[in-house]
Amino acid sequence: MIIRAMPVLLLLTLSWTSARTEELTVLSYNINYGNVDLDETCRLIREADADLVALQEVTPAAEEHLSECLAEHYAHQAFQSGQAATGFGFLSRWPLEDVRYHPPEHGWFGSFLARIQFNDESLELANVHLLPTIPERGEGALRLLGRYMQLESTRIKEVESLLAAMPSEGLRLVMGDFNTIPGMGSLQLLEASGLVDAATAHGGERANTWSWSLDGWTVSLCLDYIFADQRWRVDAFKVSAEGPSDHYPVVARLFLQSAPTH
């Protein structure tokens, strides 16, 4: 695991984050471990101008490239890069605390956890990559959907393990590549824990975040999500259908509402 605080920008960043703000823009992006256009990936991340970025499928080569090209935008970086699709990364304008990798008890990839101090409150972060359902050659859409259903039991166990590793109270954000479609049990489990899907909270139409072509047909699904506590009001949500990955960047602009008084 590598955690960086860029020294040239540290004083500026500490000054910038000392001002109280209730707004937080979050980007989640599976950059694809086979991605050969990391310059374009950097461009998309820069243009999103998010305060906090969660990346999946970060290889050592991608870590080296992204940490350098985004150093001026993110003074605080943490990576758990890995071979193939196993890696994670956080980019932040706030110092990252308690950064840790949560190894997989179920599924393949585990999750990447951290904390930031936001408005004098602890905000727990979870960067997830749940078990994928990989399209097979010669497979039709109905069979693919059936395998999604079969593998959902493992993704539910992954979410149970993740929630057990996070505080049950306080501010939380869970974001990443969930590899599941709307309405499935793993997402319902997050909602039952008090988290809200930013896409539906915004009230707009849900957009597909992943597209894959195989044997002359293309399947597009919504697989990437940002879940937030109910104290966050979702002011904007966007999926940008572009870039060199099979996944698209997902961005939410959140506004922290005051805690209820008793």
Side-chain angles (χ1 to χ4, degrees), residues 142-218:
L142 288 179
R143 175 172 165 75
L144 178 63
L145 181 59
R147 289 200 300 114
Y148 264 104
M149 301 294 289
Q150 291 174 353
L151 295 175
E152 184 64 15
S153 61
T154 298
R155 289 187 283 266
I156 290 173
K157 293 177 181 177
E158 289 183 274
V159 172
E160 289 174 340
S161 175
L162 171 68
L163 291 174
M166 298 182 70
S168 59
E169 298 181 353
L171 293 175
R172 294 172 296 168
L173 283 175
V174 180
M175 53 215 150
D177 177 6
F178 289 75
N179 272 313
T180 197
I181 53 181
M184 299 294 270
S186 56
L187 305 183
Q188 293 176 358
L189 183 57
L190 287 167
E191 292 169 344
S193 76
L195 296 170
V196 177
D197 178 1
T200 57
H202 183 243
E205 294 185 6
R206 186 186 297 281
N208 292 329
T209 67
W210 171 81
S211 182
W212 187 269
S213 296
L214 184 69
D215 292 339
W217 63 284
T218 299

Side-chain angles (χ1 to χ4, degrees), residues 74-256:
Y74 298 101
H76 306 281
Q77 305 179 0
F79 291 96
Q80 178 77 29
S81 59
Q83 300 303 314
T86 62
F88 293 94
F90 277 123
L91 308 171
S92 176
R93 287 176 173 150
W94 282 269
L96 293 159
E97 305 172 358
D98 195 21
V99 179
R100 60 207 186 274
Y101 174 63
H102 182 58
E105 297 175 349
H106 310 278
W108 294 349
F109 305 121
S111 53
F112 199 36
L113 307 177
R115 180 188 308 124
I116 63 173
Q117 295 299 316
F118 189 82
N119 282 359
D120 300 323
E121 295 188 64
S122 292
L123 172 56
E124 296 290 332
L125 312 173
N127 184 351
V128 307
H129 190 186
L130 303 187
L131 180 69
T133 305
I134 301 173
E136 297 176 350
R137 191 165 298 279
E139 179 177 51
L142 288 179
R143 175 172 165 75
L144 178 63
L145 181 59
R147 289 200 300 114
Y148 264 104
M149 301 294 289
Q150 291 174 353
L151 295 175
E152 184 64 15
S153 61
T154 298
R155 289 187 283 266
I156 290 173
K157 293 177 181 177
E158 289 183 274
V159 172
E160 289 174 340
S161 175
L162 171 68
L163 291 174
M166 298 182 70
S168 59
E169 298 181 353
L171 293 175
R172 294 172 296 168
L173 283 175
V174 180
M175 53 215 150
D177 177 6
F178 289 75
N179 272 313
T180 197
I181 53 181
M184 299 294 270
S186 56
L187 305 183
Q188 293 176 358
L189 183 57
L190 287 167
E191 292 169 344
S193 76
L195 296 170
V196 177
D197 178 1
T200 57
H202 183 243
E205 294 185 6
R206 186 186 297 281
N208 292 329
T209 67
W210 171 81
S211 182
W212 187 269
S213 296
L214 184 69
D215 292 339
W217 63 284
T218 299
V219 58
S220 296
L221 299 170
C222 178
L223 301 181
D224 303 81
Y225 303 84
I226 296 171
F227 277 84
D229 287 291
Q230 297 179 15
R231 280 184 60 193
W232 295 100
R233 184 181 75 235
V234 183
D235 285 349
F237 186 87
K238 180 181 179 182
V239 177
S240 300
E242 59 177 324
S245 174
D246 53 335
H247 290 258
Y248 304 139
V250 175
V251 181
R253 187 171 71 240
L254 310 174
F255 188 89
L256 183 63

